[in-house]
Amino acid sequence: MDSAPCGRVFTRLVRKSTQTFEDAFDPRANAFSFLRFALALLVIFSHCHPLGGFGPEPLAAATGGEQTLGLVAVALFFVLSGFLITRSSVQAPSTGRFLWHRFLRIYPGYWVCLILTALVFAPIICRVEHGSFTALFGIERNHPLTYITRNFTLHMRQFTIASLMRSLPYPWIVNGSLWSLSFELVCYFAVAVMGWIGIFRRARGAVLGMFLLCWGLHLFDLKTPALFHLCLPFFDDGQGLRLFLYFLGGSVFFLFREKIPCDARIFAAAVIALPLATRCGGFSLVAPIALPYALLWLAFTLPLSRFDRWGDFSYGLYIYAFPVQQTLAMFQVHRAGLVAYFLLSTLITLALAIASYRLVEAPCLRLKHIVVGRLFSRGSVPIIEAT
């Protein structure tokens, strides 16, 4: 019997079983866009419960309110961002160019969202709730225009407009999803600084050390929250620390990608560990390690590399869903049930996300090659843009 075919099969199996994340990651063929889209939908589904008054969603019920599907989805956005943004920094020709690309990706779409929320969504809600627009523009506090100006820098300081939506299941808040964007911006600046001083190239172990430090502080926050906030009041409610932890997780997986096996057995173990940890009350400790591995394994192995051929609509889905859901609740759509509320919220938000990408995000991203200065030049390596 000829053993050559058997030998070739064995060789392929061994090669596949010893594949690393570096081997598995193809910049031109991956499922990152699909996963971002899916995570945005998960945020919409999670928000349907409080915004529609449907009670706690599944993960909140399982963890006693400690976690929600929306918070996990946002954290996983940060994992993907940590992986891709670190890669973008390593390959960027200069720190100035890197920051210019990040500015174009996040600010134009955000600014248009602020304007539409203040000048379109808020008047519609005011008309339904009060029967006219005078209650909106005749006020002194929380004016629609101050909603734009006070939130212009990405740091959300005004979540309400006038006294709208007081009768809704989730009152007052116009767009609660934007809170995470300022933490994303902080991560961008941190990556820019670390890339500029050469940490990614010469001291990547420092990033692993920062991840472990954040994990330890996260444990400190979980075990003794009062003492944690007394010692570290600048972390506010601990959500910022948690997002930095997940971002660093994505960064670590990129920097050590040649050492991390891309193995379906490890993926299965990570997935199994999550419900077990949830039952034992340890989800928040296991998830920062298990979730990034599972998510990136899916990104490298799912055959969905053409998902974004018409565009990347995940950012628009994320920033527009909340005001859409609040507006639909004002029209009592949530009374039709959770499924109807979720589907209509998704369809309307997707239409806005497509318009945002076509009319704002994509045109602005075409400006990424404009020379904005050669500060902190690091050579002439061509940029490969991350989202």
Side-chain angles (χ1 to χ4, degrees):
M1 180 179 178
D2 186 4
S3 62
C6 296
R8 286 195 295 270
V9 171
F10 177 76
T11 301
R12 285 198 295 268
L13 289 174
V14 170
R15 186 180 297 120
K16 187 174 182 179
S17 66
T18 58
Q19 189 180 44
T20 65
F21 271 15
E22 183 174 39
D23 302 323
F25 175 49
D26 184 345
R28 296 176 180 82
N30 57 70
F32 279 95
S33 294
F34 167 77
L35 291 173
R36 281 194 296 265
F37 190 89
L39 291 174
L41 293 183
L42 191 60
V43 171
I44 296 175
F45 174 77
S46 178
H47 285 172
C48 279
H49 289 77
L51 300 188
F54 295 105
E57 43 102 309
L59 186 58
T63 60
E66 181 182 315
Q67 295 289 338
T68 68
L69 292 172
L71 288 175
V72 170
V74 171
L76 293 180
F77 271 123
F78 274 68
V79 171
L80 297 179
S81 185
F83 187 94
L84 293 172
I85 298 306
T86 302
R87 176 176 178 268
S88 180
S89 174
V90 168
Q91 297 182 330
S94 72
T95 302
R97 176 74 68 174
F98 168 79
L99 290 173
W100 173 239
H101 285 205
R102 307 277 52 82
F103 169 83
L104 291 175
R105 189 66 187 94
I106 198 169
Y107 270 106
Y110 168 77
W111 284 334
V112 173
C113 180
L114 287 183
I115 293 169
L116 290 179
T117 300
L119 302 182
V120 177
F121 285 105
I124 292 173
I125 292 172
C126 186
R127 181 69 176 82
V128 174
E129 190 170 27
H130 298 286
S132 71
F133 302 118
T134 56
L136 181 62
F137 292 100
I139 60 167
E140 294 183 3
R141 296 187 59 187
N142 295 328
H143 194 276
L145 295 182
T146 64
Y147 177 83
I148 298 171
T149 57
R150 296 187 68 198
N151 299 329
F152 193 75
T153 62
L154 212 68
H155 177 58
M156 292 294 293
R157 294 185 295 167
Q158 179 181 330
F159 282 94
T160 63
I161 296 178
S163 57
L164 298 179
M165 302 178 296
R166 66 179 68 186
S167 62
L168 294 185
Y170 198 87
W172 316 114
I173 307 300
V174 182
N175 194 342
S177 294
L178 302 182
W179 68 274
S180 67
L181 297 183
S182 61
F183 294 109
E184 182 88 1
L185 185 65
V186 171
C187 291
Y188 290 171
F189 280 114
V191 167
V193 171
M194 288 190 287
W196 177 47
I197 64 180
I199 285 180
F200 296 144
R201 296 181 183 277
R202 296 190 294 270
R204 61 180 182 171
V207 182
L208 177 60
M210 286 186 279
F211 171 80
L212 295 175
L213 174 62
C214 282
W215 190 87
L217 291 175
H218 183 53
L219 175 62
F220 179 24
D221 182 28
L222 291 173
K223 297 299 182 182
T224 55
L227 182 60
F228 173 85
H229 294 296
L230 180 64
C231 298
L232 301 167
F234 48 84
F235 277 119
D236 195 17
D237 61 355
Q239 289 300 335
L241 173 63
R242 181 170 168 273
L243 295 182
F244 297 150
L245 172 63
Y246 279 89
F247 187 94
L248 285 169
S251 183
V252 166
F253 273 98
F254 171 77
L255 294 173
F256 292 89
R257 61 198 181 279
E258 82 284 357
K259 297 182 179 297
I260 301 172
C262 187
D263 194 317
R265 293 167 295 184
I266 300 177
F267 168 78
V271 171
I272 294 171
L274 291 168
L276 293 178
T278 301
R279 293 187 63 182
C280 300
F283 177 88
S284 296
L285 296 179
V286 173
I289 299 171
L291 280 176
Y293 185 94
L295 183 73
L296 291 170
W297 186 90
L298 290 172
F300 303 151
T301 58
L302 288 177
L304 295 166
S305 60
R306 297 280 296 162
F307 186 81
D308 61 348
R309 59 187 177 275
W310 293 301
D312 183 357
F313 309 129
S314 57
Y315 185 51
L317 280 174
Y318 183 74
I319 62 177
Y320 281 104
F322 204 104
V324 167
Q325 289 172 288
Q326 289 288 63
T327 304
L328 290 176
M330 184 58 64
F331 282 99
Q332 305 296 309
V333 173
H334 60 296
R335 295 188 181 278
L338 176 61
V339 174
Y341 184 50
F342 169 68
L343 291 177
L344 191 56
S345 297
T346 300
L347 289 174
I348 295 175
T349 306
L350 180 59
L352 289 170
I354 292 172
S356 176
Y357 182 81
R358 301 287 189 193
L359 302 178
V360 181
E361 299 166 49
C364 288
L365 287 174
R366 286 197 286 270
L367 303 175
K368 65 184 181 181
H369 296 301
I370 291 178
V371 175
V372 291
R374 299 185 179 278
L375 297 175
F376 316 113
S377 179
R378 294 201 308 251
S380 58
V381 181
I383 269 189
I384 300 179
E385 177 67 8
T387 57

